[in-house]
Structure formats: C-alpha cells, structure tokens
Amino acid sequence: MKSKILENKRIKKERLIDAAYSLFSHNDLKNVSIQDIVTKAGVAKGTFYLYFKDKYMLRDHLVWREVSRLFKEAEAALSENDIRNFEDSVIFIINHVLMALENNPVVLTFIRNNLSAGVFHEQLHTALENEESFSLNEAFLALVKKYHYEFKDPNIILYLIIEMVGSCCYTSITENQPLPIRELKPFLFDSIRAILHQGVPKEQPGNE
C-alpha cells in the first residue's frame, strides 16, 4: 500500500513537471499561472504546493534538470572519445552542449540565459539531492585532477566559462548575433583556452 502511494505521488509530480515544461517552453513565465500548470497536469492545485513553493521554484528545477542532462550527455560522449588533453576535453564538452542546443530550439528557448543558474544553483541542488543529478562542478574538478592542473580557485574558473558561454549562445544561435554560432565558436573557444591558461600543470614525480 505504501509503495503504491509513493508511486502515485511520483506520477503526479512528473505530471506537474511535464506540464510546466510544455507551458514554459512556449509561453513567457509571467503568462503562465499555477492554475494553468495544474489544469494541464490534471491534478489538484493543492498537489502543486506539496512539491514546489511557487512557479519560479518549478522553473528553476526544470532549468537545472535540462542543464544537468546536457552536460551529463556531453561528459558521456567525452568518455567515448580519445581526448588526452585538459583544454581539449573542456572544449569538447562545451561544443557538445552547444550542438545539442542548436539542434533543440525548445530546450534552447527554455534555458535562454539561465545556463549558469542550472550549474551553480547550489540551494536548488541541495533541495533536489534525492533526484538523479549530475554535478558539472565535480566533473570539472575531476578533469583538473586527472590532468594534474592547479588553479587558484577552479570553481571560479568554471563559473567564468559557463557565464561566458551562456551569455553568448542564445542570441548567437537564434539571431546570429554578433555572429552565427559556428563563426562565433573559434572566438569563444580561444577565450575559454585563455581562461584555462590561468592554471598550470603540476610537476609530476619522475618528470623532472
């Protein structure tokens, strides 16, 4: 009986999430009400507040979910390629995410300028810690460790990269401004490499 109740709760929550994603992807957030969401989901309004404080919390959850999925897929693709360089690995992940956004305008429109929020929203990550998650911070630190790099603050380095990518990608992909994304990428990737150059490879025993 208890497992059935839990399953019903999970299904209702997924209905809310799917309904909100559909509505937020095709409408401005200010034009979507909680009533719109619960009506589309086919659940009672009180059910909404069992899981989310307001529509903004639900929006943040969806941004986090989509950004997490994009970077998780990029890391998986990286593991299947023979890339043995720190900077090339980071560029590969960023490029994989950009290509996914180019090919999925719905996700791109939904995320818009919230790429960094989906990565660095620690309060949201904590609130959703029981869900399947992917931490780009941890993945980046793993690459730093793997290639024996040393940064004054690797989290700030990652923040600068994601902020730059997020601020550039939407208008470049949707409006070709300041350049179409394929023409912008060389400049973007050079800038990412310049940021990564703030780090230096550690000296390894036996390499002296």
Side-chain angles (χ1 to χ4, degrees):
M1 179 64 72
K2 185 177 180 180
S3 61
K4 186 175 182 179
I5 293 174
L6 291 175
E7 178 63 13
N8 287 336
K9 290 178 68 176
R10 185 193 66 78
I11 290 173
K12 287 181 179 180
K13 184 177 181 181
E14 284 302 313
R15 284 180 183 172
L16 284 169
I17 291 170
D18 291 342
Y21 182 73
S22 176
L23 290 167
F24 292 159
S25 298
H26 298 92
N27 302 275
D28 193 288
L29 180 66
K30 65 182 180 182
N31 296 325
V32 177
S33 68
I34 291 175
Q35 186 61 55
D36 293 331
I37 297 171
V38 297
T39 298
K40 188 172 182 64
V43 301
K45 195 169 186 178
T47 302
F48 180 94
Y49 294 103
L50 292 176
Y51 307 105
F52 304 103
K53 177 182 177 182
D54 50 36
K55 66 180 182 180
Y56 302 100
M57 181 181 177
L58 178 49
R59 184 274 315 273
D60 289 345
H61 167 81
L62 286 166
V63 169
W64 169 81
R65 186 186 71 171
E66 291 304 309
V67 171
S68 179
R69 178 182 61 79
L70 286 171
F71 281 103
K72 186 176 182 179
E73 291 174 355
E75 189 195 42
L78 175 65
S79 67
E80 296 174 358
N81 284 265
D82 188 26
I83 298 177
R84 305 180 184 181
N85 175 278
F86 175 62
E87 292 181 15
D88 290 345
S89 296
V90 175
I91 296 295
F92 178 92
I93 289 174
I94 296 298
N95 188 53
H96 193 280
V97 169
L98 289 175
M99 288 192 297
L101 291 173
E102 287 180 73
N103 295 325
N104 196 329
V106 172
V107 174
L108 174 64
T109 300
F110 180 73
I111 291 175
R112 296 194 180 182
N113 297 320
N114 293 308
L115 191 64
S116 64
V119 174
F120 298 104
H121 201 320
E122 292 298 335
Q123 184 177 359
L124 179 62
H125 291 189
T126 301
L128 301 171
E129 62 184 0
N130 292 327
E131 302 196 15
E132 183 179 357
S133 63
F134 172 78
S135 171
L136 181 60
N137 306 63
E138 292 178 6
F140 181 71
L141 291 175
L143 284 175
V144 170
K145 182 178 181 180
K146 176 180 179 180
Y147 291 104
H148 310 290
Y149 264 66
E150 190 170 62
F151 292 98
K152 185 176 181 180
D153 190 332
N155 289 316
I156 293 298
I157 295 297
L158 179 61
Y159 177 81
L160 292 173
I161 292 171
I162 299 303
E163 272 288 294
M164 181 170 60
V165 173
S167 63
C168 293
C169 72
Y170 183 74
T171 54
S172 178
I173 293 173
T174 60
E175 301 174 17
N176 294 325
Q177 295 295 329
L179 290 171
I181 188 64
R182 293 184 183 181
E183 296 178 29
L184 183 67
K185 279 182 181 180
F187 296 97
L188 180 63
F189 295 161
D190 283 347
S191 297
I192 291 173
R193 291 184 188 279
I195 292 173
L196 294 175
H197 283 171
Q198 295 182 45
V200 293
K202 298 178 182 177
E203 289 291 335
Q204 295 300 299
N207 291 341
E208 298 179 358

